[in-house]
């Protein structure tokens, strides 16, 4: 077999059981025909009445289906259009989806041991902290908002963020935060608003009469110059 986890993992397992503690390790094992399968090994020291370790009990379990499911989930999370974080009650990030690289430019482990609030725009930070505090005291509560989040290249991206308190869920034990990048949509909407504003200003202040008329002949909009020209309100 060969170890698929960090090289220090077997050493840490040995250190744990030498202290009289239980430990687990996942390894990739090979059958006689050359095919591979994942095994989870758990080791528990057994002590006598004096507290001395007399022997160890080891249980090996085939976890190949679970590892395959984890790999599928990892591929799904990597190709999401959204970024998913799980934040514990202390504010520490316990999980971030691989899609953070594609959406925000950060490597999966680049922001280990850093606060998620470091990426929030200073003007949005007070609101983000209030939302987090409110969610903490309300299991099952959720929030939806738009936050400016800093990309690795320094630009601010607009993310529509949905946060749910799943701290009481034994499989989650944290606040799940999903961020969808809507920067392009926000920029398009802003451009349309500016274009509409410029058109409205030009239409209303034109020195000659202007009107928008639908195909049936009804007037949809008229400007002040046309009203003055016709003597109508």
């Amino acid at each position: 077999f060969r170890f698929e986890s960090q090289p220090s993992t077997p050493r840490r397992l040995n250190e744990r059981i030498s202290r009289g503690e239980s430990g687990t390790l996942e390894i990739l094992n090979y059958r006689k025909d050359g095919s591979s399968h994942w095994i989870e090994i758990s080791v528990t020291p057994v002590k006598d009445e004096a507290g001395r370790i007399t022997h160890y009990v080891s249980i090996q379990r085939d976890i190949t289906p679970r590892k395959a499911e984890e790999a599928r989930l990892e591929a799904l999370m990597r190709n999401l259009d959204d970024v998913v974080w799980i934040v514990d009650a202390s504010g520490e990030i316990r999980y971030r989806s691989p899609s953070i690289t594609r959406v925000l430019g950060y490597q999966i482990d680049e922001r280990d041991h850093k606060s998620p609030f470091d990426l929030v725009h200073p003007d949005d930070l007070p609101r983000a902290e209030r939302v987090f505090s409110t969610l903490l005291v309300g299991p099952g509560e959720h929030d939806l908002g738009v936050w400016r989040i800093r990309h690795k290249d320094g630009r601010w991206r607009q993310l529509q963020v949905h946060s749910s308190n799943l701290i009481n869920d034994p499989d989650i034990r944290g606040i799940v935060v999903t961020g969808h990048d809507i920067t392009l949509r926000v920029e398009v909407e802003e451009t349309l608003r500016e274009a509409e504003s410029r058109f409205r200003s030009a239409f209303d202040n034109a020195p000659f009469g202007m009107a928008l008329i639908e195909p049936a002949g009804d007037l949809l909009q008229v400007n002040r110059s046309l009203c003055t020209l016709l003597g109508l309100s």
Side-chain angles (χ1 to χ4, degrees):
F1 62 84
R2 61 189 174 94
F3 295 108
E4 285 294 315
S5 46
Q6 296 295 326
S8 60
T9 301
R11 184 174 66 251
R12 287 200 299 267
L13 175 61
N14 287 332
E15 292 172 352
R16 287 181 63 88
I17 62 178
S18 66
R19 295 195 301 265
E21 303 172 359
S22 299
T24 60
L25 179 68
E26 296 179 359
I27 63 172
L28 184 63
N29 201 8
Y30 291 90
R31 301 183 181 91
K32 185 177 180 179
D33 62 6
S35 61
S36 62
H37 63 290
W38 282 92
I39 294 177
E40 180 185 74
I41 300 175
S42 63
V43 182
T44 303
V46 178
K47 303 177 182 179
D48 60 17
E49 294 180 355
R52 295 185 297 265
I53 298 176
T54 58
H55 58 284
Y56 299 90
V57 174
S58 176
I59 299 175
Q60 299 187 16
R61 185 164 58 96
D62 189 337
I63 59 171
T64 305
R66 192 193 81 192
K67 297 295 287 188
E69 186 62 30
E70 289 176 354
R72 285 193 290 269
L73 179 60
E74 185 78 2
L76 173 63
M77 298 301 281
R78 184 176 294 108
N79 292 284
L80 279 178
D81 289 331
D82 299 343
V83 182
V84 179
W85 295 271
I86 297 179
V87 184
D88 65 18
S90 67
E92 182 177 348
I93 296 177
R94 294 181 47 244
Y95 172 83
R96 66 186 63 81
S97 62
S99 54
I100 191 174
T101 302
R102 184 162 45 82
V103 177
L104 293 175
Y106 300 97
Q107 296 302 314
I108 187 67
D109 58 351
E110 190 170 349
R111 295 197 48 81
D112 285 350
H113 312 299
K114 295 182 180 179
S115 170
F117 297 112
D118 291 348
L119 298 181
V120 180
H121 192 284
D123 292 343
D124 296 340
L125 186 57
R127 182 162 54 99
E129 291 175 337
R130 286 196 302 272
V131 167
F132 185 77
S133 299
T134 302
L135 287 173
L136 277 180
V137 298
E141 291 294 322
H142 60 88
D143 179 80
L144 181 64
V146 177
W147 313 95
R148 285 168 287 182
I149 306 297
R150 187 175 66 248
H151 192 280
K152 186 177 180 179
D153 62 13
R155 293 177 300 164
W156 293 103
R157 309 297 294 176
Q158 299 269 2
L159 266 63
Q160 186 174 59
V161 176
H162 181 265
S163 306
S164 298
N165 183 338
L166 298 179
I167 290 179
N168 290 343
D169 188 321
D171 295 324
I172 304 296
R173 298 191 181 281
I175 293 177
V176 178
V177 181
T178 303
H180 182 69
D181 191 343
I182 60 171
T183 305
L184 180 59
R185 191 185 83 189
V186 171
E187 291 174 349
V188 169
E189 290 175 349
E190 180 62 26
T191 299
L192 291 175
R193 281 194 295 270
E194 291 177 357
E196 171 67 20
S197 177
R198 287 194 298 268
F199 169 78
R200 172 57 58 186
S201 178
F203 183 84
D204 287 342
N205 296 294
F208 43 83
M210 296 182 66
L212 295 179
I213 307 174
E214 67 177 2
D218 292 332
L219 294 173
L220 296 176
Q221 295 180 23
V222 297
N223 68 353
R224 287 190 293 269
S225 294
L226 184 60
C227 293
T228 300
L229 181 65
L230 300 178
L232 299 174
S233 62

